[in-house]
Amino acid sequence: MAIQKHSYVLTKDFILCCLSEDNQYFYGEILYGKKPLKDVKVVYILGEKYYKYWELESMRRKHSTTVGKKTNYNKYIESTKKLYPKNYYFHKIIGKLFRISKEKIIKIIVPKKYNELNRDKKRIANILSLKFSVSHNCILVGGSKLFSKKTNFSDFDIIINGKKEGMKVSKSITKLIKNEENRLEIGTKKYHPRRFRIKNAIICPFAINSKDNYFETTKAKVIEKPKEVIAKVIDCSDSLFSPAVYKIKNEKNKVYLISYFVGHNHLFNKNDIIKFKAPLYEFKREKIKKRAYVIPIQGSWVEINRK
């Protein structure tokens, strides 16, 4: 039962956003649950009452470029872990998250294809298709819009399906956010590196491809414990995918930086000098040995030196 990343897995107790899977489990984040939790919104999904646990992660968070600066992910994890302790899991590659046995799922809601969208959502998809010069058939709609028929596009998650298409859209976004009308301001003289505006919609893009879970399902070994690394980004073509993948060059070798922290998707540009702390892994892909620094899903922001 293979499903796309960013699909929603429904159980009798919660809704999990799928980030990975194996033969027995789906792994991901419990975004909504039926058990009460203070200080989060109550939402109704498919006629049932849920608490939006994911709000804890983004609550009062300030974007920071300080190495080692903690995010609110651990607060979200610890609070949700208390509610569903049997579902908590530490994945040696991805980090702290949750899992559910495939035998216990009730329903899977996958990102919607173009022909499944209503008229207003198709209109946005058509505009994006023209902006990115890709077929509207590779633009999927995910996130909370999977449950909503409303035309309020305050936060519109799209998923670009395909390796070449994802790389193409990544380059297009960099150009698009140079226009003031498309920028999403996040502070004084700052704008979001990935999210952008189209008409009345705030677009939050990701990309997927059929082999984008190769790393967490392969055998990898730690060959160097976490330490501070300074490196230059030499290729950011795969930065929109989940996880974000960058080719970097440190003082010794050309390696990869693989980050499961969503804040690193499409964050670094080619020629950026970045500083971070992460373990170095060695793994095989297509029988070729490769090395990668891996930042887990609860990772911290990375210091960027951008000219």
Side-chain angles (χ1 to χ4, degrees):
M1 187 192 296
I3 65 171
Q4 293 173 330
K5 289 187 176 184
H6 303 284
S7 294
Y8 281 8
V9 178
L10 277 68
T11 74
K12 66 182 182 67
D13 295 315
F14 56 76
I15 298 174
L16 179 139
C17 180
C18 182
L19 301 176
S20 186
E21 65 173 304
D22 57 27
N23 292 332
Q24 189 175 358
Y25 295 98
F26 289 121
Y27 300 89
E29 298 160 336
I30 298 178
L31 304 187
Y32 307 94
K34 294 182 178 179
K35 295 183 179 181
L37 185 64
K38 291 182 179 180
D39 301 323
V40 299
K41 288 181 182 177
V42 172
V43 295
Y44 288 86
I45 298 173
L46 303 178
E48 296 193 71
K49 181 179 178 180
Y50 287 88
Y51 293 84
K52 190 177 180 181
Y53 305 146
W54 187 243
E55 274 193 332
L56 292 175
E57 197 280 335
S58 57
M59 194 178 294
R60 293 182 294 277
R61 185 179 70 195
K62 294 182 179 179
H63 290 259
S64 170
T65 55
T66 304
V67 175
K69 184 72 173 180
K70 291 183 178 179
T71 68
N72 287 337
Y73 195 84
N74 280 325
K75 181 179 180 180
Y76 151 75
I77 280 287
E78 292 305 317
S79 297
T80 311
K81 179 182 174 182
K82 289 179 182 178
L83 299 175
Y84 304 101
K86 292 183 180 180
N87 297 102
Y88 170 76
Y89 184 73
F90 182 80
H91 192 289
K92 69 174 184 177
I93 300 297
I94 305 176
K96 300 175 183 177
L97 36 61
F98 297 91
R99 69 179 183 180
I100 183 68
S101 170
K102 291 185 175 182
E103 297 177 352
K104 295 184 178 181
I105 63 172
I106 295 174
K107 185 177 183 179
I108 295 174
I109 301 179
V110 300
K112 289 184 178 180
K113 298 178 181 179
Y114 181 81
N115 60 4
E116 299 174 306
L117 304 178
N118 64 24
R119 184 183 62 184
D120 293 298
K121 292 175 183 176
K122 281 183 178 179
R123 180 174 63 87
I124 296 295
N126 287 333
I127 293 172
L128 293 172
S129 175
L130 291 172
K131 291 279 188 184
F132 297 148
S133 298
V134 297
S135 169
H136 56 244
N137 291 320
C138 73
I139 300 175
L140 311 179
V141 173
S144 60
K145 295 297 179 288
L146 290 175
F147 306 119
S148 174
K149 295 181 180 180
K150 295 180 180 180
T151 56
N152 176 15
F153 296 111
S154 59
D155 193 353
F156 195 81
D157 289 6
I158 64 165
I159 298 152
I160 308 301
N161 188 17
K163 178 72 171 180
K164 292 182 180 178
E165 291 80 2
M167 294 170 69
K168 192 173 185 178
V169 170
S170 180
K171 292 180 180 178
S172 298
I173 291 172
T174 301
K175 296 178 181 178
L176 190 68
I177 59 178
K178 290 181 180 179
N179 300 323
E180 287 189 19
E181 65 180 29
N182 298 123
R183 291 177 182 174
L184 179 62
E185 302 292 336
I186 57 173
T188 306
K189 297 181 179 181
K190 292 183 180 180
Y191 53 90
H192 203 287
R194 176 168 48 92
R195 295 191 181 196
F196 56 91
R197 296 181 183 274
I198 294 290
K199 300 294 184 181
N200 62 331
I202 296 175
I203 310 297
C204 181
F206 296 93
I208 58 173
N209 71 82
S210 59
K211 296 181 180 179
D212 66 356
N213 66 338
Y214 72 89
F215 187 66
E216 62 260 27
T217 58
T218 192
K219 291 183 179 179
K221 63 178 181 180
V222 177
I223 60 173
E224 195 174 274
K225 293 182 178 180
K227 70 174 186 179
E228 191 174 87
V229 178
I230 299 176
K232 182 178 182 179
V233 177
I234 57 176
D235 189 345
C236 58
S237 303
D238 292 337
S239 63
L240 198 60
F241 291 89
S242 300
V245 180
Y246 298 88
K247 287 183 182 178
I248 62 174
K249 184 178 181 180
N250 59 16
E251 58 184 12
K252 296 180 180 178
N253 302 299
K254 293 179 181 178
V255 294
Y256 290 91
L257 171 62
I258 298 177
S259 180
Y260 287 88
F261 179 34
V262 69
H264 294 158
N265 285 66
H266 201 271
L267 179 62
F268 316 129
N269 297 329
K270 186 177 180 180
N271 295 323
D272 281 352
I273 304 299
I274 57 176
K275 185 162 66 172
F276 60 91
K277 189 175 183 179
L280 181 65
Y281 286 82
E282 186 174 78
F283 62 100
K284 283 186 179 181
R285 189 180 188 192
E286 297 173 352
K287 297 182 180 180
I288 299 174
K289 281 187 178 182
K290 297 182 181 290
R291 291 185 173 188
Y293 291 102
V294 182
I295 297 178
I297 195 169
Q298 69 274 15
S300 57
W301 288 95
V302 172
E303 185 174 312
I304 310 170
N305 182 359
R306 180 171 296 161
K307 294 182 180 180

